[in-house]
């Protein structure tokens, strides 16, 4: 199995988990509205859970979005350069991005561990915060895998070992 296929599979799984998070956000909001209006019994911690699940959903979806080049790319200037130059810029942008996001993942892991040790919980529902921080770190780790894959692909193209295609940083 090629590394690209592995990254594609991981990003796809993370995207499905992100979709589940957003689905549960929708379900929670609808259930809370229903219970609040019909039974006058809202779900405790809805606001907190919606915030946590939305943050996790966005983080988990980033890898798939990056793999599919779903982000906005400003290519007005870059499209004027040769494919080789575009590939080199893409390589360096992806490599720098990888370094920055890897540092974020590391920091989030340390932060989650600190929150676990301190026993930090949400204010009203008293839900532990650290699992959500770890899930966000996992989503961003998936993004790091995609950026690593893109860097390797760009590097191979620079060396002439990969398929020549137009890439956007």
């Amino acid at each position: 199995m090629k590394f690209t296929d592995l990254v594609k599979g991981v990003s796809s799984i993370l995207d499905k988990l992100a979709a589940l998070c957003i689905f549960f956000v929708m379900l929670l909001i609808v259930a809370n509205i229903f219970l609040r209006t019909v039974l006058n019994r809202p779900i405790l911690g809805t606001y907190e859970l919606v915030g946590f699940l939305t943050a996790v959903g966005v983080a988990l979806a980033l890898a798939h979005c990056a793999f599919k080049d779903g982000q906005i790319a400003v290519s007005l200037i870059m499209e004027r350069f040769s494919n080789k130059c575009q590939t080199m810029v893409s390589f360096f942008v992806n490599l720098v991005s990888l370094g920055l996001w890897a540092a974020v993942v590391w920091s989030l892991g340390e932060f989650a561990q600190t929150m676990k040790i301190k026993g930090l919980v949400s204010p009203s529902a008293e839900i532990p915060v650290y699992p959500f921080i770890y899930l966000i770190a996992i989503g961003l780790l998936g993004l790091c895998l995609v950026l690593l894959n893109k860097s390797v692909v760009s590097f191979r193209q620079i060396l002439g070992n990969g398929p020549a295609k137009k890439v956007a940083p």
Side-chain angles (χ1 to χ4, degrees):
M1 175 185 266
K2 290 179 13 182
F3 184 64
T4 301
D5 294 334
L6 175 69
V7 172
K8 181 179 181 181
V10 168
S11 68
S12 179
I13 290 169
L14 292 175
D15 191 53
K16 286 175 179 48
L17 292 173
L20 274 175
C21 287
I22 302 305
F23 173 76
F24 283 124
V25 164
M26 179 210 56
L27 195 65
L28 184 60
I29 291 171
V30 170
N32 189 50
I33 291 170
F34 176 78
L35 291 172
R36 180 182 295 272
T37 55
V38 174
L39 302 175
N40 198 26
R41 305 276 300 182
I43 300 170
L44 181 65
T46 298
Y47 181 77
E48 296 163 349
L49 278 171
V50 166
F52 290 153
L53 288 174
T54 301
V56 169
V58 169
L60 292 174
L62 284 175
H64 187 70
C65 181
F67 188 83
K68 295 289 187 180
D69 291 325
Q71 73 276 9
I72 296 172
V74 181
S75 59
L76 183 63
I77 296 171
M78 287 305 301
E79 65 189 15
R80 300 182 194 278
F81 294 109
S82 68
N83 284 347
K84 182 108 172 171
C85 181
Q86 289 179 32
T87 304
M88 290 172 68
V89 169
S90 177
F91 170 73
F92 287 114
V93 167
N94 286 325
L95 202 60
V96 168
S97 298
L98 173 62
L100 292 173
W101 284 114
V104 169
V105 169
W106 184 267
S107 294
L108 279 173
E110 288 181 339
F111 180 63
Q113 185 62 27
T114 301
M115 295 302 101
K116 182 179 180 181
I117 292 168
K118 288 184 177 182
L120 182 72
V121 295
S122 64
S124 63
E126 297 185 356
I127 301 166
V129 174
Y130 74 90
F132 297 102
I133 300 171
Y134 277 129
L135 287 171
I136 291 169
I138 289 170
L140 295 179
L141 185 61
L143 176 61
C144 288
L145 280 174
V146 171
L147 291 169
L148 176 63
N149 182 61
K150 286 183 174 214
S151 296
V152 169
V153 168
S154 294
F155 188 69
R156 286 182 179 162
Q157 289 173 354
I158 291 169
L159 295 178
N161 297 336
K165 68 174 187 175
K166 211 171 189 179
V167 292

